[in-house]
Amino acid sequence: MAVFTGAGVAIVTPMKANGEVNFDKLGELLEFQIAGGTDAIIICGTTGEASTLSHEEHLECIRYTVSKVAGRIPVVAGTGSNCTETSVYLSVEAEKAGADALLLVTPYYNKATQKGLIAHFTNTAKAVNIPAILYNVPSRTGCTILPETAAALVKEVDNIVGIKDATGNISQTMQTMCLCQGDIDLYSGNDDQIVPVLSAGGKGVISVLSNVAPKETHEICAKFFAGDVKGSLALQLEYLPLVNQLFSEVNPIPVKAALNLMGMEVGPLRLPLTEMEEAHKEKLAVEMKKLGMIK
């Protein structure tokens, strides 16, 4: 059984003006997501600025989210690291906190070999008893999980059950699904490829768009699964210009700007991320106005 089916939000980490994590605001965002029909919460992923959270902050965000969500929908904790020991530590603590599953990014900067990736993911996953979803995002980490590697991992490690595919390479996605022979749960890691990935047998999306449009992102998946492929595609295409603006600068710069434009007051980013360029923010606002998200 999949960890979740549909739209999981890669939720932002709201910050106070002084740069501290704003847990009260995080609680509001979680309630906004659940009310909007989001199918899962992914906490401390790329969009959550996990790479600039201390270990203590990282785990506190996971604990808070598990407590606030209180079993209403699955909570997937991002616990990947470029250090296997750290990934194991965060994963064990996330399991203790009550997370339903883990999201494990490929080790960044180290640029591990495929042999290294197998060892890293195997050691991390076997340290816990909850399911793990691999996160393949070579544009940010400098290495990719090849289809053969994904197939080996899902075959050899019982609790490696899924993959978030943010390669943008649909040919590689198809090869992964071919080699895994139905043993892997596929999630789109790109909001502009939800329908193509669902058509390849995907279970859903781990989404940035869901931060600002939870209902619509859920509906893209729900319509597809209900057999309304044309309706799903129409909604995907309607929101494509907004998705493009949400990635006009490195994520999560634009999505935090979008949430602030909506009055959600999620605060600033942590350096080295900086506020969105005004020219880009103006284009973002135009697309949001077209969709009735702001006035």
Side-chain angles (χ1 to χ4, degrees), residues 249-293:
E249 292 187 27
V250 67
N251 178 50
I253 291 173
V255 73
K256 270 198 159 179
L259 285 163
N260 286 330
L261 286 170
M262 293 170 68
M264 303 291 274
E265 299 179 357
V266 298
L269 301 123
R270 283 190 175 175
L271 288 171
L273 299 184
T274 52
E275 297 303 313
M276 196 174 191
E277 298 289 343
E278 283 301 320
H280 293 159
K281 189 185 291 187
E282 289 173 9
K283 292 179 180 178
L284 173 64
V286 167
E287 296 304 332
M288 294 176 73
K289 288 176 182 177
K290 287 179 182 177
L291 294 165
M293 301 171 74

Side-chain angles (χ1 to χ4, degrees), residues 167-217:
T167 63
N169 183 343
I170 197 68
S171 295
Q172 181 172 321
T173 304
M174 296 298 288
Q175 183 67 2
T176 298
M177 294 300 279
C178 176
L179 295 181
C180 288
Q181 298 180 320
D183 290 334
I184 198 163
D185 294 327
L186 173 67
Y187 297 95
S188 176
N190 294 323
D191 285 307
D192 61 351
Q193 293 185 342
I194 301 172
V195 174
V197 168
L198 294 181
S199 73
K203 298 291 185 180
V205 59
I206 295 177
S207 171
V208 175
L209 175 64
S210 282
N211 279 279
V212 294
K215 179 178 181 294
E216 292 77 9
T217 314

Side-chain angles (χ1 to χ4, degrees), residues 38-102:
T38 289
D39 299 291
I41 303 293
I42 292 78
I43 185 72
C44 294
T46 303
T47 313
E49 297 177 77
S51 58
T52 52
L53 297 175
S54 69
H55 291 171
E56 293 76 15
E57 290 172 323
H58 193 133
L59 293 173
E60 186 58 30
C61 285
I62 293 169
R63 295 183 186 113
Y64 179 89
T65 299
V66 170
S67 176
K68 185 70 173 177
V69 172
R72 287 175 286 175
I73 57 176
V75 173
V76 181
T79 55
S81 171
N82 67 325
C83 170
T84 303
E85 183 179 353
T86 300
S87 186
V88 168
Y89 166 69
L90 293 173
S91 299
V92 168
E93 292 301 314
E95 182 178 32
K96 289 179 184 177
D100 295 287
L102 308 175

